Amino acid sequence: MALVSSINGIGIADPRPHSLQSERNHSLFSFNSLRFMRSERNARKRCSYLVVRAAITNSEIDFTDQDWKKHFEEDFEKRFNLPHLRDVFDIEPSPTTFSLKSRGPQIVDGANALGERKNGYVNEDDRALLKASFYVQEMGVISEVIRFSSPTSAGAECIDPDCSWVEQWVHRAGPRKQIYFEPGKVKAGIVTCGGLCPGLNDVIRQIVFTLELYGVNKIVGIPFGYRGFFDQGLSEIPLSRQVVQNINLAGGSLLGVSRGGASVSDIVDSIQARGIDMLFILGGNGTHAGANAIHNECHKRKMKVSIVCVPKTIDNDILLMDKTFGFDTAVEEAQRAINSAYIEAHSAYHGVGLVKLMGRSSGFITMHASLSSGQIDVCLIPEVPFNLEGPYGVLRHLEHLIQTKGSAVVCVAEGAGQDLLEKSNAKDASGNVIFGDIGVHIQQQIKRHFKEVGVPADVKYIDPTYMIRACRANASDAILCTVLGQNAVHGAFAGYSGISVGICNTHYVYLPIPEVITSPRCVDPNSRMWHRCLTSTGQPDFL
């Protein structure tokens, strides 16, 4: 049976294995290469060029079999079945200690107005529709399922040539009536990995609050990412409601962040020595790969430890999820830089404003920031190739804008146009290839071009990268962080491990980590949202 995955509304067949078995001396520094099993350049190609449109079927599925749909759905259900402590241990659940019942009943017209609904429990067999065989994705959120009359319709994703309806259900997140840990004996740990992201403190805060509601009184923070597990100079940070009460009012992470780490075996040794029963890991794709390897090692050692991830990336590039926390804040904060670039360009004689935003493999921030500002003339993202030179290149278009409008504003993602730059083999601590600065390159090329054509141009380059990711979460992200933090704790007490919590098709769900890290989520160049961006900017194809 083919394993059909998706990248932002793009159907692809992915034959690679969906598990990451840890080796004893396997370093976390290589998790990113393990995650994608290809170079950074190939990663961009995967997002940009391995676009298998709906009309192209998967040869591994025998559509002549009348039961192909049933087989596909059964395979999907098997892949998305959540790892559970019951897989390793013969344990019986106990009644939950989490309850939302009011301490005093409210009587309305002589009846108890609260009733059983105040418990708010989710049943074990509850599922949410991840997606059907076709859907559209807009504003970073999967919309209501739409039936397509043709597989060539923008945004369509079809498994078979007839666009048959194929249901794909995943586990709903939330508190269960039965739990698999004794709260009074639980020691919970929280760790934040990778780079900063708006909302980290909000998630930490809600994890602590919810743990205490269950009755957990031993909660610690692991400082500076995975490094905190092996650096002898770093001590655990005791956490409680009093400690985290107001940390959401500031950006950054109370626990600190770092990239890379020690071997999986060393980290699990540390988890075992510390007596940690639940570990909540906040991070992106590479961090998730590390968490999956840690889960596998704990499983191998028959350790009763629940590993739960909360996806963290302002790039919004986590597969299968509508949106990750920090994204809305990043788009909102990017408006300041774009507006400044617009004012500079509009106020100068032949002014060109250039803004570089974050986005290594995906251009969601750049696309949405361009759309929301309404001031961008050229939007450049990693998923859509472009030329600077030539009659249809970006530079010739800027020349046209200067002649017709008198100014221009360009917004580019950091991962865009890397094929135009000199390659580097240098990597950061997470194993990511260190990119060349496409913003500086475009700035220099604009200056050179206008000098050669004898037209004066005043270029202003703005890079707000670290300002955007270090700020406090806005209201939208704060709500998302709150619910994600709560559901992470519910998932751990429900006995799940090796899972990630996210929002899919507007519902909060649990997903197996291997399915989340199959590949990065990218902008679909055939999506309605990218078409809307092109309509807004008025830019041509730069090829």
Side-chain angles (χ1 to χ4, degrees), residues 520-534:
R521 174 172 172 260
C522 302
V523 173
D524 178 1
N526 191 49
S527 66
R528 289 290 298 122
M529 190 51 60
W530 177 243
H531 293 172
R532 291 179 181 125
C533 187
L534 296 179

Side-chain angles (χ1 to χ4, degrees), residues 4 9 11 54 68-69 72 129 131-135 145-148 155-160 162-168:
V4 179
W68 75 263
K69 188 188 304 184
F72 177 86
L129 186 65
K131 59 186 177 67
S133 61
F134 38 84
Y135 63 88
V145 176
I146 297 175
R147 289 187 180 272
F148 292 94
E157 178 190 355
C158 301
I159 294 173
D160 69 316
D162 297 325
C163 270
S164 300
W165 179 273
V166 180
E167 296 179 347
Q168 300 176 41

Side-chain angles (χ1 to χ4, degrees), residues 45-156:
K45 284 186 177 181
R46 181 173 184 80
C47 294
S48 303
Y49 305 115
L50 283 186
V51 180
V52 184
R53 291 311 313 161
I56 303 178
T57 62
N58 189 329
S59 59
E60 295 185 43
I61 300 179
D62 182 10
F63 294 116
T64 62
D65 180 3
Q66 293 183 345
D67 294 326
W68 75 263
K69 188 188 304 184
K70 176 183 176 182
H71 296 324
F72 177 86
E73 291 175 346
E74 288 175 348
D75 179 70
F76 181 89
E77 184 176 355
K78 183 185 299 183
R79 285 167 47 207
F80 281 80
N81 185 45
L82 300 180
H84 198 280
L85 294 176
R86 292 186 303 249
D87 300 339
V88 181
F89 302 98
D90 183 16
I91 52 177
E92 294 295 327
S94 58
T96 184
T97 54
F98 179 84
S99 176
L100 295 177
K101 279 190 175 181
S102 175
R103 298 185 188 281
Q106 299 177 7
I107 307 300
V108 178
D109 294 332
N112 188 340
L114 296 175
E116 286 300 316
R117 70 177 181 84
K118 289 295 289 186
N119 284 322
Y121 298 128
V122 173
N123 294 325
E124 283 297 321
D125 57 353
D126 283 0
R127 299 291 186 270
L129 186 65
L130 174 64
K131 59 186 177 67
S133 61
F134 38 84
Y135 63 88
V136 294
Q137 196 153 1
E138 301 176 353
M139 296 298 289
V141 178
I142 300 176
S143 70
E144 294 182 4
V145 176
I146 297 175
R147 289 187 180 272
F148 292 94
S149 59
S150 168
T152 59
S153 179

Side-chain angles (χ1 to χ4, degrees), residues 247-437:
I247 63 172
N248 60 310
L249 302 181
S253 169
L254 171 70
L255 306 179
V257 295
S258 71
R259 297 187 183 278
S263 70
V264 173
S265 180
D266 289 342
I267 290 179
V268 176
D269 286 344
S270 179
I271 292 172
Q272 196 167 18
R274 296 167 189 262
I276 291 177
D277 304 290
M278 297 178 179
L279 182 61
F280 301 96
I281 303 175
L282 283 59
N285 279 305
T287 300
H288 272 63
N292 191 61
I294 293 169
H295 159 73
N296 287 338
E297 182 66 16
C298 290
H299 182 105
K300 177 182 175 181
R301 299 189 189 186
K302 298 189 183 305
M303 293 168 53
K304 188 184 176 184
V305 179
S306 180
I307 307 296
V308 179
C309 283
V310 180
K312 174 233 64 168
T313 168
I314 64 173
D315 290 354
N316 202 34
D317 63 350
I318 302 294
L319 192 64
L320 303 177
M321 299 187 183
D322 296 1
K323 183 173 62 174
T324 53
F325 74 83
F327 173 68
D328 276 354
T329 305
V331 172
E332 184 175 308
E333 287 298 314
Q335 302 307 300
R336 303 174 187 269
I338 291 175
N339 189 54
S340 296
Y342 172 79
I343 292 174
E344 288 283 356
H346 193 67
S347 301
Y349 178 66
H350 289 180
V352 178
L354 174 61
V355 179
K356 186 186 76 172
L357 298 176
M358 296 189 78
R360 289 181 59 87
S361 300
S362 60
F364 287 105
I365 294 179
T366 303
M367 177 178 69
H368 287 263
S370 298
L371 267 169
S372 57
S373 73
Q375 298 170 325
I376 298 298
D377 299 295
V378 177
C379 176
L380 305 174
I381 61 176
E383 297 87 343
V384 180
F386 62 90
N387 292 325
L388 289 177
E389 307 289 349
Y392 304 107
V394 174
L395 298 176
R396 182 63 63 86
H397 184 60
L398 289 178
E399 189 179 336
H400 168 73
L401 291 172
I402 290 296
Q403 293 172 349
T404 57
K405 291 179 56 181
S407 64
V409 184
V410 180
C411 191
V412 59
E414 62 176 320
Q418 289 298 308
D419 56 311
L420 305 175
L421 305 176
E422 185 176 341
K423 299 297 183 293
S424 169
N425 293 324
K427 296 183 179 181
D428 63 19
S430 294
N432 296 311
V433 173
I434 297 177
F435 282 173
D437 195 326

Side-chain angles (χ1 to χ4, degrees), residues 232-244:
Q232 299 299 320
L234 299 175
S235 302
E236 295 176 348
I237 302 173
L239 299 176
S240 65
R241 176 177 286 267
Q242 289 72 27
V243 174
V244 303

